[in-house]
Amino acid sequence: MQIDVFTLFPHWFDWFRGQRHVANALALGSQLHCVDYRVHTPLRAGQVDDTPFGGGAGMVLRVDVVEAALRARYGDDPVTVRERRRVIALTPGGRVLDDSWVEQLAAQAELTLLCGRYEGFDERILDHFCSDRLSIGRYVIAGGELAAMVVCDAVLRKLPGALGHEDSAHEESYSAALDGAPEYPHYTRPAEWRGWTVPDVLLSGHHARIRAWRAQQSRERAERSGGASLP
Ligand code: ADE
């Protein structure tokens, strides 16, 4: 998989590239490339943003700057880029990311992520250059970079070999294997600590009963969280 991240802070991703499952995915052939809006801006003094028409606080990422960066990377008119690869804007008002969307993104050969900063994007960037608007949750963070890392983390760990253990991304919270429910509880040694014990069934060695117990726990967790994670 080939992921391009458009950002004002490409060096933030140096740390991210070193994280084990990301490093594994990259070693297995995936690529994570950053494009710095500032390097490609047609404006003077590295300007990338401007004050909003109509007034208001903050600065807005300019459409001409984003167009220049997309053109520099893809070589043609950015309005056509979204026809051949998903171009996703990270924005708090977008569709909230969930496991099934992550699965879909992990099946793409190429992805483009656009990070916003300050007050966000000039709306024409979203309307004309992007195929999707993605939010990592209904709260606002200072820019799209951490959101882009969340997307890359969630997507890259789905790729074969990224986790080192093939099953670990299969039966986990919100996966189809658990019918979209949260994962069941885990325990490890010691079997007793300060009088806190591990459920007997997990020590029984009885695989069918363990499976049934885990499925039941997972369902109960879904119900306790208001059923919000069930389809
Ligand atoms: N940029 C700022 N807040 C965001 C969020 N919640 N999701 C995606 N991008 C963002």
Side-chain angles (χ1 to χ4, degrees):
M1 159 166 247
Q2 201 276 321
I3 305 177
D4 288 340
V5 180
F6 287 68
T7 171
L8 289 169
F9 302 99
H11 57 282
W12 287 23
F13 291 82
D14 296 344
W15 168 83
F16 181 69
R17 281 193 192 84
Q19 302 314 298
R20 194 165 59 102
H21 65 285
V22 178
N24 286 345
L26 299 182
L28 289 166
S30 289
Q31 291 168 34
L32 178 60
H33 179 84
C34 289
V35 178
D36 188 342
Y37 294 122
R38 224 180 278 286
V39 167
H40 300 288
T41 180
L43 308 173
R44 280 187 300 128
Q47 185 188 350
V48 293
D49 55 3
D50 225 320
T51 52
F53 284 130
M59 300 292 273
V60 176
L61 196 58
R62 287 177 55 134
V63 62
D64 48 352
V65 169
V66 174
E67 169 155 346
L70 286 164
R71 268 187 198 277
R73 178 68 178 155
Y74 302 117
D76 52 356
D77 188 338
V79 298
T80 64
V81 173
R82 67 178 175 183
E83 290 161 15
R84 57 177 195 272
R85 62 190 288 149
R86 298 286 278 270
V87 179
I88 302 175
L90 284 319
T91 174
R95 175 181 155 202
V96 176
L97 187 65
D98 62 11
D99 187 73
S100 66
W101 198 7
V102 172
E103 287 280 0
Q104 234 188 63
L105 297 179
Q108 307 286 311
E110 297 172 326
L111 279 185
T112 297
L113 302 176
L114 302 186
C115 301
R117 270 271 132 187
Y118 321 114
E119 278 307 292
F121 299 96
D122 183 303
E123 193 69 14
R124 291 166 292 185
I125 298 168
L126 307 175
D127 288 345
H128 301 289
F129 301 153
C130 295
S131 56
D132 308 82
R133 305 168 187 210
L134 186 154
S135 169
I136 57 166
R138 291 290 180 244
Y139 47 86
V140 180
I141 55 177
E145 283 74 16
L146 291 178
M149 287 185 210
V150 167
V151 175
C152 292
D153 183 307
V155 166
L156 291 174
R157 68 191 291 288
K158 296 272 188 194
L159 301 183
L163 294 180
H165 184 290
E166 280 306 314
D167 287 339
S168 21
H170 173 64
E171 195 176 281
E172 62 181 4
S173 290
Y174 314 113
S175 63
L178 291 179
D179 293 329
E183 201 174 5
Y184 43 79
H186 295 286
Y187 298 87
T188 186
R189 280 177 280 276
E192 186 182 336
W193 180 251
R194 295 177 56 184
W196 303 326
T197 55
V198 172
D200 287 338
V201 62
L202 297 178
L203 307 173
S204 69
H206 196 299
H207 297 299
R209 279 179 45 213
I210 292 171
R211 255 198 315 280
W213 180 85
R214 285 177 164 168
Q216 178 60 26
Q217 290 288 316
S218 178
R219 275 194 299 275
E220 284 175 15
R221 284 188 160 183
E223 281 156 21
R224 275 204 299 276
S225 63
S229 56
L230 290 172

